[in-house]
Amino acid sequence: MHAHYTVRFFHSHRSTLMQKPYPHDRDSHSVAIVGTGPAALMAADKLASSGIQVTLFDKRAAAAWKLFVAGSSGLNITNALPLNAFASNYTGPAQHWQTCLSQFSNEDWVRFIEVELGQKTFLGTSGRYFVETMHAAALVRAWRRRLESMGVSFHFAHELIDFSSDGTDCTLRFKNETTFSFPKVLLALGGGSYEPTEDPLRWISIFENKGIRFNAFSPMNSGYHVAWTKAFLAEVDGQPFKNIEFRNSKGSRKGDLIITEYGLEGTPVYTLGEAGAASIDLKPDLSLDAIKQKLLSSKENFSLIRRAQKHLQLNKAALALIFHMGRPEWKNSLDDFALAIKNFPLTLLQPRPLSESISARGGVSWDELGDNLELTSHPGIYLAGEMIDWEAPTGGFLIQGGVAQGRFVAESMLK
Ligand SMILES: Cc1cc2nc3c(=O)[nH]c(=O)nc-3n(C[C@H](O)[C@H](O)[C@H](O)COP(=O)(O)OP(=O)(O)OC[C@H]3O[C@@H](n4cnc5c(N)ncnc54)[C@H](O)[C@@H]3O)c2cc1C
């Protein structure tokens, strides 16, 4: 790699300089990475452990902010699916994901966390891997310590506002009026979701101003609005539909859904979310006939609702759905009632906003990138992670996608 590094200050800000001196060895091999999410940290790790001087920048005051957010609901680091099935969860070029994930697989990532970061993991019954602590703090702390011990420097409160490349140097300009040049740069600025204070995200305009094709971010893996009645919500707001099967024109997915005041949250809706007609099978493991038989088996002169509670073990949320959201006549007809259990019709209205979504559709277009994820219009500047136009469902695919791409870019730079 061309060994060249320059630092230029237009105004030196004592406060930012105090946190850590910028490396300034002109002879060292050096790479700048903007972002400190999983894609950035994995690239930094691979480069630093190969002897490259790495400098990380982030607009925030601490590393890996979104990993902390992800960890607040249980940090699901990856999934146990085998390679082909795993790779089929991503949009974008299939060949890219095959290469990327075979170079750094789910097993490699779990081993890295266990061996290099010293964090225990476990495989949940759903085929999802989690860190044992369920939170991101210990993992991020261990990773940052490891990187710093390899000479990686972190510079916070550095918001990237522009970049350029003349084919030899890549120049980064930050909001705090500092400018740096590096031979190679990785931008891993993350996706458009969960950015409560920026709407739209400020980095998008850097790309748009350069004419780099960017597909607008929209919510993905997000909750959806449903027009619940007041009576239904009063009874079961915050409660789950357990072990149901959600269906719509995109397919079907088993799992749990949480009822919220605005609608529904949970993996089946995150995975298949689309405004329009949908249905819920409240008893997916029983056929329509089996349900009818069980309802008829009651010796007591109970209402259908009571029989469903007793003989089908429908939980409170499922019973309230039929009682409050179904047609009144369904409660008195065995056929209609059984059908409502198997195929309860729902309409998903609009998704929750991007600022509440787990991830986003959209990002920098693949057309702008070479096979090695280098921006074709800006040689020496690479992208990785959710800022590229790819999507994946929840289940550990998002973090795995980020780390695999970070690793892939680092390998490309090293070549
Ligand atoms: C509520 C929630 C739960 C989630 N749960 C899971 C889960 O369990 N499993 C899973 O796989 N995924 C989960 N995710 C998704 C996962 O967190 C992301 O996919 C992952 O963090 C993306 O990694 P990244 O490296 O691409 O970007 P990010 O982690 O988003 O990192 C980007 C970094 O770039 C910085 N940055 C942005 N713009 C600039 C700029 N202009 N200048 C300088 N720095 C900048 C940001 O501050 C940030 O630190 C969850 C997300 C959310 C919101």
Side-chain angles (χ1 to χ4, degrees):
M1 185 186 297
H2 181 62
H4 177 71
Y5 179 89
T6 58
V7 181
R8 289 190 289 275
F9 300 95
F10 290 123
H11 296 278
S12 42
H13 281 245
R14 210 77 200 127
S15 57
T16 49
L17 284 173
M18 288 295 283
Q19 57 185 358
K20 197 137 240 182
Y22 301 109
H24 48 73
D25 180 359
R26 279 174 167 272
D27 298 327
S28 69
H29 292 226
S30 58
V31 170
I33 299 179
V34 189
T36 57
L41 296 182
M42 183 49 78
D45 201 289
K46 179 66 195 165
L47 290 166
S49 56
S50 307
I52 305 294
Q53 171 74 59
V54 180
T55 308
L56 283 158
F57 297 95
D58 201 292
K59 67 181 177 183
R60 289 199 161 82
W65 176 78
K66 206 180 265 182
L67 272 190
F68 281 86
V69 176
S72 63
S73 51
L75 192 64
N76 172 204
I77 44 171
T78 190
N79 199 288
L81 284 178
L83 178 65
N84 285 344
F86 201 111
S88 70
N89 280 281
Y90 297 86
T91 61
Q95 186 54 51
H96 166 75
W97 287 111
Q98 280 285 339
T99 310
C100 210
L101 293 164
S102 51
Q103 274 181 17
F104 194 71
S105 69
N106 45 0
E107 287 168 11
D108 295 330
W109 174 219
V110 170
R111 199 174 313 116
F112 178 88
I113 293 173
E114 294 257 354
V115 177
E116 308 299 346
L117 304 184
Q119 304 299 308
K120 289 209 167 67
T121 65
F122 71 94
L123 179 59
T125 47
S126 55
R128 298 167 179 219
Y129 277 99
F130 294 86
V131 282
E132 198 177 78
T133 58
M134 296 300 269
H135 295 291
L139 181 144
V140 173
R141 208 178 316 117
W143 210 349
R144 187 166 166 194
R145 256 202 313 264
R146 172 179 155 86
L147 289 170
E148 285 178 332
S149 75
M150 294 193 286
V152 173
S153 57
F154 286 78
H155 301 281
F156 298 110
H158 278 67
E159 179 175 342
L160 183 73
I161 54 168
D162 199 8
F163 63 80
S164 60
S165 154
D166 62 10
T168 307
D169 274 350
C170 306
T171 301
L172 301 174
R173 201 152 69 79
F174 292 93
K175 198 173 174 185
N176 61 7
E177 300 183 9
T178 52
T179 300
F180 305 92
S181 293
F182 289 80
K184 291 208 187 297
V185 162
L186 166 64
L187 304 180
L189 305 176
S193 76
Y194 229 86
E195 283 281 353
T197 56
E198 283 182 50
D199 184 19
L201 259 184
R202 285 191 289 270
W203 66 253
I204 296 170
S205 63
I206 310 177
F207 287 78
E208 287 177 338
N209 292 341
K210 295 179 190 309
I212 296 172
R213 238 178 85 199
F214 175 85
N215 298 317
F217 282 131
S218 64
M220 167 84 191
N221 291 314
S222 70
Y224 267 76
H225 288 256
V226 177
W228 302 129
T229 62
K230 275 197 178 126
F232 173 73
L233 275 182
E235 203 172 317
V236 290
D237 185 7
Q239 296 197 28
F241 293 126
K242 294 288 289 177
N243 304 316
I244 54 90
E245 185 165 324
F246 177 85
R247 301 190 192 112
N248 66 7
S249 62
K250 288 173 84 178
S252 64
R253 175 83 192 223
K254 285 186 179 172
D256 299 343
L257 289 172
I258 304 292
I259 299 156
T260 66
E261 151 271 315
Y262 50 79
L264 285 169
E265 294 279 343
T267 302
V269 161
Y270 298 158
T271 311
L272 300 173
E274 181 177 69
S279 68
I280 295 184
D281 184 343
L282 297 164
K283 221 53 199 166
D285 299 331
L286 289 181
S287 68
L288 185 62
D289 279 346
I291 288 173
K292 285 186 195 169
Q293 286 309 319
K294 283 190 178 277
L295 290 172
L296 281 170
S297 69
S298 182
K299 302 241 176 337
E300 305 93 338
N301 190 21
F302 281 166
S303 67
L304 286 169
I305 290 275
R306 290 280 305 278
R307 288 190 216 180
Q309 184 179 19
K310 186 165 178 201
H311 299 289
L312 294 169
Q313 284 78 48
L314 282 191
N315 76 359
K316 194 173 171 193
L319 294 168
L321 183 72
I322 301 174
F323 191 83
H324 292 293
M325 299 292 300
R327 294 229 183 105
E329 60 269 26
W330 293 352
K331 283 176 257 174
N332 302 317
S333 151
L334 180 81
D335 286 348
D336 289 344
F337 192 85
L339 204 57
I341 292 174
K342 274 312 277 176
N343 195 21
F344 194 93
L346 272 186
T347 303
L348 292 191
L349 303 170
Q350 75 277 22
R352 291 297 285 173
L354 200 49
S355 59
E356 289 179 23
S357 302
I358 289 176
S359 63
R361 290 193 174 86
V364 177
S365 169
W366 289 94
D367 299 344
E368 302 285 353
L369 301 170
D371 289 345
N372 56 359
L373 302 186
E374 189 175 13
L375 274 174
T376 45
S377 57
H378 290 73
I381 298 188
Y382 296 68
L383 308 189
E386 256 200 80
M387 68 180 298
I388 301 173
D389 186 4
W390 57 265
E391 327 152 10
T394 54
F397 301 106
L398 294 162
I399 291 176
Q400 176 78 45
V403 290
Q405 283 194 326
R407 185 83 172 201
F408 174 83
V409 165
E411 305 260 7
S412 301
M413 285 181 174
L414 289 168
K415 274 182 207 152

